[in-house]
Amino acid sequence: AQKVTQAQTEISVVEKEDVTLDCVYETRDTTYYLFWYKQPPSGELVFLIRRNSFDEQNEISGRYSWNFQKSTSSFNFTITASQVVDSAVYFCALSGPYGQNFVFGPGTRLSVLP
Amino acid sequence: DTAVSQTPKYLVTQMGNDKSIKCEQNLGHDTMYWYKQDSKKFLKIMFSYNNKELIINETVPNRFSPKSPDKAHLNLHINSLELGDSAVYFCASSQDEFYGYTFGSGTRLTVV
């Protein structure tokens, strides 16, 4: 069965600090997809990234970076020089090779204090 | 020009009532979904529709029924509302699940 664990329920940092959100997943599929979504206080869900299981290259997008480690079944998300606007709940998600069994993690609430 | 729009944004109703939440997407996506987010922020898929066919139906009470009049709409009907139905319901769409989903802004349902 697919499962996503985000062990950090809540994290608080001060603006400009770097912060890493952990995501550990379980799947029996050899091909799968991993995602990160952001849910700001306004409530909408914003898609951030999708990564397939064959692409272990780390990705950087501005202040955001993702570290995919297949050996440890982790897909961690780092925000560099955090800003107050980064305050949100962040969800890691996993799907099967054909998009089936899409599962969200429980989410990590990030608070960035000024 | 909202990509996925849900109405209403807030819905307060009494137990036992029947209510509907509407969802429309203008992205031309093939598949639409309903997710339920509980008070602990857990997101759980309820339904998905692809070309008017229900392709996922998790263990959701049959008081909940999705209705898709066309590819751009997936409405959620709920009969005999219960207190435990209080949650935020998200509509979403995707062209291809591999590329992630686009979510609506959510409907906060409160049953009193």
Side-chain angles (χ1 to χ4, degrees):
Chain A
Q2 313 266 93
K3 184 179 177 182
V4 175
T5 303
Q6 295 177 254
Q8 305 146 309
T9 306
E10 294 191 35
I11 302 176
S12 287
V13 298
V14 177
E15 207 170 16
K16 297 185 183 176
E17 285 184 5
D18 298 346
V19 58
T20 295
L21 310 181
D22 297 334
C23 173
V24 174
Y25 61 92
E26 294 177 28
T27 180
R28 292 181 181 173
D29 293 321
T30 53
T31 302
Y32 50 88
Y33 292 82
L34 295 160
F35 305 81
W36 275 95
Y37 287 83
K38 173 183 179 180
Q39 186 180 37
S42 52
E44 73 273 25
L45 277 163
V46 179
F47 167 74
L48 296 178
I49 190 173
R50 177 191 66 96
R51 175 52 52 87
N52 76 56
S53 53
F54 292 107
D55 182 2
E56 290 194 66
Q57 264 197 327
N58 290 334
E59 179 149 345
I60 297 175
S61 177
R63 296 184 297 107
Y64 295 171
S65 62
W66 290 269
N67 184 353
F68 178 29
Q69 296 279 347
K70 208 167 179 179
S71 59
T72 56
S73 297
S74 64
F75 186 44
N76 297 337
F77 172 33
T78 298
I79 302 175
T80 304
S82 60
Q83 300 176 1
V84 172
V85 293
D86 296 328
S87 297
V89 179
Y90 290 86
F91 293 94
C92 182
L94 166 70
S95 81
Y98 305 105
Q100 78 278 26
N101 300 325
F102 195 101
V103 174
F104 280 92
T108 296
R109 181 181 298 278
L110 173 65
S111 298
V112 181
L113 308 174
Chain B
D1 59 348
T2 304
V4 178
S5 60
Q6 298 178 225
T7 54
K9 191 170 176 66
Y10 300 96
L11 181 56
V12 181
T13 187
Q14 291 185 326
M15 281 176 58
N17 283 350
D18 302 338
K19 289 293 179 186
S20 295
I21 307 173
K22 294 185 178 180
C23 179
E24 176 181 4
Q25 54 99 1
N26 62 6
L27 298 166
H29 286 171
D30 286 331
T31 308
M32 296 182 71
Y33 310 82
W34 277 105
Y35 280 84
K36 178 180 180 180
Q37 185 178 41
D38 62 22
S39 57
K40 295 183 179 178
K41 296 292 189 180
F42 282 97
L43 280 157
K44 184 175 179 181
I45 191 166
M46 300 177 72
F47 304 103
S48 72
Y49 255 77
N50 183 309
N51 293 326
K52 294 194 177 184
E53 291 185 46
L54 181 67
I55 59 174
I56 299 176
N57 187 345
E58 298 293 311
T59 54
V60 173
N62 57 16
R63 297 181 295 104
F64 291 79
S65 56
K67 298 269 194 303
S68 181
D70 55 57
K71 189 173 129 173
H73 296 83
L74 183 64
N75 303 325
L76 182 64
H77 297 271
I78 316 169
N79 295 326
S80 302
L81 277 155
E82 301 178 358
L83 293 176
D85 297 332
S86 296
V88 180
Y89 292 84
F90 284 95
C91 177
S93 71
S94 70
Q95 178 58 35
D96 179 333
E97 290 85 344
F98 308 152
Y99 291 94
Y101 294 42
T102 303
F103 284 86
S105 57
T107 296
R108 182 176 294 279
L109 171 65
T110 304
V111 182
V112 297

Short mmCIF file of all heavy atoms in Angstrom, two decimals, chain A residues 2 5 8 11 15 18 21 32 42 47 50 58 66 76 85 87 106 108 110:
data_model
loop_
_atom_site.label_atom_id
_atom_site.label_comp_id
_atom_site.label_asym_id
_atom_site.label_seq_id
_atom_site.Cartn_x
_atom_site.Cartn_y
_atom_site.Cartn_z
N GLN A 2 0.36 2.30 -0.62
CA GLN A 2 1.10 3.55 -0.67
C GLN A 2 0.96 4.28 0.67
O GLN A 2 -0.11 4.29 1.26
CB GLN A 2 0.50 4.45 -1.74
CG GLN A 2 0.24 3.78 -3.07
CD GLN A 2 1.39 3.96 -4.02
OE1 GLN A 2 2.27 3.12 -4.07
NE2 GLN A 2 1.38 5.05 -4.73
N THR A 5 4.71 9.74 4.85
CA THR A 5 4.89 10.21 6.21
C THR A 5 5.61 11.54 6.22
O THR A 5 6.66 11.69 5.59
CB THR A 5 5.69 9.19 7.04
OG1 THR A 5 5.01 7.93 7.01
CG2 THR A 5 5.83 9.65 8.48
N GLN A 8 7.23 15.84 10.71
CA GLN A 8 7.17 17.17 11.35
C GLN A 8 5.75 17.71 11.21
O GLN A 8 5.31 18.03 10.12
CB GLN A 8 8.16 18.14 10.70
CG GLN A 8 9.59 17.64 10.67
CD GLN A 8 10.31 18.12 9.40
OE1 GLN A 8 9.81 17.94 8.30
NE2 GLN A 8 11.47 18.72 9.57
N ILE A 11 6.52 23.37 12.21
CA ILE A 11 7.87 23.94 12.29
C ILE A 11 7.74 25.46 12.35
O ILE A 11 6.95 26.04 11.58
CB ILE A 11 8.73 23.57 11.07
CG1 ILE A 11 8.85 22.07 10.90
CG2 ILE A 11 10.12 24.20 11.18
CD1 ILE A 11 9.61 21.67 9.64
N GLU A 15 12.38 34.47 9.95
CA GLU A 15 12.62 34.88 8.57
C GLU A 15 14.12 34.85 8.26
O GLU A 15 14.95 35.20 9.09
CB GLU A 15 12.08 36.29 8.36
CG GLU A 15 11.68 36.58 6.94
CD GLU A 15 10.91 37.90 6.82
OE1 GLU A 15 10.95 38.71 7.75
OE2 GLU A 15 10.29 38.09 5.78
N ASP A 18 17.00 28.96 6.84
CA ASP A 18 16.71 27.86 5.93
C ASP A 18 15.91 26.81 6.69
O ASP A 18 16.11 26.61 7.89
CB ASP A 18 18.00 27.22 5.41
CG ASP A 18 18.86 28.20 4.62
OD1 ASP A 18 18.34 29.29 4.25
OD2 ASP A 18 20.03 27.87 4.37
N LEU A 21 11.75 20.44 5.05
CA LEU A 21 10.56 19.67 5.37
C LEU A 21 10.80 18.24 4.90
O LEU A 21 11.14 18.01 3.74
CB LEU A 21 9.33 20.26 4.67
CG LEU A 21 9.11 21.77 4.84
CD1 LEU A 21 7.84 22.19 4.12
CD2 LEU A 21 9.06 22.14 6.30
N TYR A 32 7.02 5.36 -9.80
CA TYR A 32 6.05 6.13 -9.02
C TYR A 32 6.40 7.60 -9.18
O TYR A 32 7.43 7.96 -9.75
CB TYR A 32 6.04 5.70 -7.56
CG TYR A 32 7.41 5.64 -6.90
CD1 TYR A 32 7.97 6.77 -6.29
CD2 TYR A 32 8.14 4.45 -6.91
CE1 TYR A 32 9.22 6.71 -5.72
CE2 TYR A 32 9.40 4.40 -6.33
CZ TYR A 32 9.93 5.51 -5.74
OH TYR A 32 11.18 5.46 -5.17
N SER A 42 -4.89 31.10 2.96
CA SER A 42 -6.10 31.36 2.17
C SER A 42 -6.82 30.07 1.78
O SER A 42 -7.98 30.11 1.37
CB SER A 42 -5.75 32.16 0.92
OG SER A 42 -4.69 31.53 0.22
N PHE A 47 0.28 23.48 -6.52
CA PHE A 47 1.22 22.46 -6.95
C PHE A 47 2.62 23.08 -7.03
O PHE A 47 2.80 24.14 -7.61
CB PHE A 47 0.78 21.94 -8.32
CG PHE A 47 1.80 21.10 -9.04
CD1 PHE A 47 2.05 19.81 -8.64
CD2 PHE A 47 2.48 21.60 -10.14
CE1 PHE A 47 2.96 19.02 -9.31
CE2 PHE A 47 3.39 20.82 -10.83
CZ PHE A 47 3.64 19.52 -10.42
N ARG A 50 6.67 17.91 -9.24
CA ARG A 50 6.45 16.48 -9.47
C ARG A 50 7.79 15.85 -9.84
O ARG A 50 8.56 16.43 -10.60
CB ARG A 50 5.47 16.27 -10.62
CG ARG A 50 5.23 14.84 -10.99
CD ARG A 50 4.46 14.76 -12.30
NE ARG A 50 5.24 15.24 -13.42
CZ ARG A 50 5.95 14.46 -14.23
NH1 ARG A 50 5.99 13.17 -14.01
NH2 ARG A 50 6.61 14.98 -15.23
N ASN A 58 18.64 16.24 -7.94
CA ASN A 58 18.02 17.27 -7.10
C ASN A 58 17.57 18.43 -7.97
O ASN A 58 18.15 18.70 -9.03
CB ASN A 58 19.02 17.75 -6.04
CG ASN A 58 19.28 16.69 -5.00
OD1 ASN A 58 18.43 15.83 -4.76
ND2 ASN A 58 20.43 16.74 -4.39
N TRP A 66 14.67 20.50 -3.81
CA TRP A 66 14.16 19.20 -3.43
C TRP A 66 15.27 18.17 -3.52
O TRP A 66 16.05 18.16 -4.48
CB TRP A 66 13.01 18.79 -4.35
CG TRP A 66 11.78 19.61 -4.12
CD1 TRP A 66 10.76 19.34 -3.27
CD2 TRP A 66 11.44 20.85 -4.77
NE1 TRP A 66 9.80 20.34 -3.33
CE2 TRP A 66 10.20 21.27 -4.24
CE3 TRP A 66 12.07 21.65 -5.73
CZ2 TRP A 66 9.57 22.44 -4.64
CZ3 TRP A 66 11.45 22.82 -6.12
CH2 TRP A 66 10.22 23.21 -5.58
N ASN A 76 12.77 15.23 0.37
CA ASN A 76 12.74 16.37 1.27
C ASN A 76 12.74 17.70 0.52
O ASN A 76 13.28 17.81 -0.58
CB ASN A 76 13.92 16.32 2.24
CG ASN A 76 13.87 15.11 3.14
OD1 ASN A 76 12.80 14.54 3.37
ND2 ASN A 76 15.01 14.71 3.66
N VAL A 85 5.87 34.94 3.75
CA VAL A 85 4.89 34.44 2.78
C VAL A 85 5.01 32.92 2.55
O VAL A 85 4.15 32.31 1.91
CB VAL A 85 5.00 35.14 1.41
CG1 VAL A 85 4.58 36.58 1.54
CG2 VAL A 85 6.38 35.00 0.82
N SER A 87 4.84 30.89 4.93
CA SER A 87 4.01 30.26 5.96
C SER A 87 2.82 29.57 5.32
O SER A 87 2.03 30.21 4.61
CB SER A 87 3.53 31.31 6.96
OG SER A 87 4.61 31.91 7.64
N PRO A 106 0.32 13.76 5.75
CA PRO A 106 -0.51 14.52 6.69
C PRO A 106 -0.24 16.02 6.69
O PRO A 106 -1.02 16.79 7.23
CB PRO A 106 -0.17 13.91 8.05
CG PRO A 106 1.21 13.38 7.86
CD PRO A 106 1.31 12.92 6.44
N THR A 108 2.85 19.36 6.82
CA THR A 108 3.69 20.04 7.82
C THR A 108 3.33 21.51 7.79
O THR A 108 3.38 22.16 6.75
CB THR A 108 5.20 19.89 7.49
OG1 THR A 108 5.56 18.51 7.55
CG2 THR A 108 6.04 20.71 8.47
N LEU A 110 4.23 25.10 8.40
CA LEU A 110 5.42 25.94 8.54
C LEU A 110 5.00 27.36 8.89
O LEU A 110 4.19 27.95 8.19
CB LEU A 110 6.22 25.95 7.23
CG LEU A 110 7.40 26.93 7.18
CD1 LEU A 110 8.47 26.53 8.19
CD2 LEU A 110 7.99 27.01 5.78
#
